[in-house]
Amino acid sequence: MRISKTFTLILSLCLVEIQSLVVEECSNIIENVNESILTTLTKAVVPELEGKKKGEAGKIAIVGGSIEYTGAPYFAAISALKVGSDLVFVITTETAAPVIKSYSPDLIVIPHSSKNISSLLYSKDVVVLGPGLGRAAKGLDLAYDIINICRELRKPLVIDADGLYALYKNITILKNYPSPGVILTPNNAEVKRLKEAIPLGDTNWYEYWGDYVTVLEKGEQDQYHSNFERFDWCLNEGGSGRRAGGQGDILAGSLGTFFNWALKANLCENNQSISLAQSVASYAAAKFTRRCNYKAYRSHGRSMIASDMLNEIHSTFDELFT
């Protein structure tokens, strides 16, 4: 890995004054990201708290939840909020809304049937689609409506859990999704399902949807895939063998916050800024979630549940990003 002295100096200065990181012609400077560069960039995208108005650190929408699954959207939403977004909205069903409201007064919970969804999403910085959505026809139809609305509004989108099942059932719906793009967060089983749905071709499976759809593949080793190989990476540090439900929702929610911050940091002055932002945000969320999991498991062992990971958010964030 070769980095110019100018780039190293810029990164060093940004650690002192972390408000924005602008790297001229970064596609020519960064030949391949590595953990050192990604760690520096994740710290650089975290916004200052001083002088900010409510909403400037992020307004995230979580779309999901159903009569069966109310915990998943809660874990995603509270994680996005605790990581540092100012406002988090849960857009869910009429039946799930009062249950999710009861979990936390800090979340804004809205039944999707009571509002125009386009107007709900218009002012949001990032949309996270899928946690607890379910696989019934109504849930799948909602997923497709959200994807089409986000495409029209050019919204950054994170798709997880049942949102990925909806994609599997309609694999072409993300084709040529525009900038600032989509980050998919499948586990190994979901990756296998997506691969089965994608028509055979000469390209890698994760390149099927175009330049602005990337994949954070979760597993014993997290892997990031994109159409820009120099921004791809693998991560196996941290985590544990405990696979309690809700961990993926914590990652999805935190990714929504990091994705917003990375985009607003304007990491490059050229058209590679979006691609690098997707990579940096995915790395931050993956490393953060793995560290929360490791710390919670160290305290609770086999009895660890996702709620225990929420209690590690503050200390983990300080360790990794301050």
Side-chain angles (χ1 to χ4, degrees):
M1 174 64 207
R2 298 189 300 274
I3 310 173
S4 72
K5 291 182 179 179
T6 301
F7 180 62
T8 302
L9 176 60
I10 290 172
L11 291 184
S12 298
L13 290 173
C14 286
L15 286 177
V16 178
E17 186 178 355
I18 308 175
Q19 290 186 344
S20 64
L21 175 66
V22 179
V23 183
E24 294 185 9
E25 299 300 327
C26 72
S27 63
N28 296 325
I29 294 171
I30 302 178
E31 297 176 2
N32 291 100
V33 297
N34 59 27
E35 187 163 358
S36 176
I37 291 174
L38 287 165
T39 298
T40 300
L41 292 175
T42 56
K43 293 179 179 180
V45 303
V46 176
E48 293 282 0
L49 293 175
E50 298 299 323
K52 292 293 191 297
K53 298 177 182 178
K54 183 171 67 176
E56 289 185 23
K59 293 177 286 185
I60 309 299
I62 309 295
V63 182
S66 57
I67 188 62
E68 300 95 340
Y69 305 112
T70 57
Y74 165 73
F75 283 126
I78 203 67
S79 298
L81 192 63
K82 282 179 170 286
V83 167
S85 287
D86 290 335
L87 297 167
V88 178
F89 302 76
V90 180
I91 300 171
T92 188
T93 63
E94 293 278 356
T95 53
V99 181
I100 298 171
K101 281 179 181 286
S102 73
Y103 294 153
S104 174
D106 299 293
L107 304 176
I108 303 167
V109 184
I110 305 170
H112 59 72
S113 59
S114 67
K115 298 282 184 178
N116 178 280
I117 294 179
S118 292
S119 65
L120 281 175
L121 299 183
Y122 181 79
S123 62
K124 307 306 179 286
D125 294 304
V126 174
V127 177
V128 179
L129 170 64
L133 186 69
R135 299 181 180 181
K138 287 185 178 180
L140 298 182
D141 288 343
L142 175 61
Y144 302 139
D145 287 344
I146 294 295
I147 291 171
N148 287 328
I149 290 168
C150 287
R151 179 191 290 272
E152 183 178 346
L153 296 176
R154 299 181 73 93
K155 287 292 177 184
L157 184 60
V158 174
I159 302 182
D160 182 51
D162 292 327
L164 295 169
Y165 182 80
L167 176 59
Y168 157 69
K169 300 297 287 185
N170 185 359
I171 201 69
T172 63
I173 195 166
L174 281 185
K175 266 287 200 179
N176 301 313
Y177 192 95
S179 170
V182 182
I183 302 174
L184 309 179
T185 60
N187 57 30
N188 294 336
E190 290 162 338
V191 166
K192 182 179 179 181
R193 190 181 295 128
L194 291 173
K195 285 181 177 180
E196 291 172 352
I198 292 173
L200 294 176
D202 297 329
T203 61
N204 294 314
W205 69 274
Y206 47 82
E207 298 177 359
Y208 172 75
W209 298 282
D211 286 348
Y212 296 110
V213 178
T214 66
V215 177
L216 170 53
E217 181 179 350
K218 302 176 296 189
E220 184 175 353
Q221 175 180 259
D222 293 338
Q223 301 177 66
Y224 178 75
H225 309 293
S226 71
N227 283 18
F228 301 92
E229 187 177 351
R230 62 181 171 276
F231 295 149
D232 292 355
W233 46 263
C234 297
L235 179 64
N236 54 24
E237 176 190 350
S240 75
R242 180 69 168 126
R243 295 290 185 268
Q247 296 175 189
D249 305 307
I250 291 172
L251 184 145
S254 62
L255 178 54
T257 295
F258 286 120
F259 195 6
N260 176 45
W261 290 349
L263 290 170
K264 289 183 176 177
N266 189 25
L267 293 170
C268 303
E269 289 187 338
N270 59 25
N271 59 6
Q272 297 300 301
S273 185
I274 300 299
S275 300
L276 183 56
Q278 290 176 312
S279 176
V280 169
S282 297
Y283 178 82
K287 188 164 187 177
F288 171 80
T289 305
R290 293 176 76 94
R291 180 70 63 88
C292 285
N293 179 275
Y294 167 78
K295 294 179 69 174
Y297 182 78
R298 186 176 60 185
S299 298
H300 300 278
R302 288 179 177 269
S303 68
M304 187 204 83
I305 56 177
S307 297
D308 298 320
M309 291 175 60
L310 296 180
N311 294 329
E312 303 295 342
I313 286 179
H314 171 65
S315 61
T316 298
F317 191 95
D318 277 356
E319 290 173 11
L320 295 180
F321 305 117
T322 60

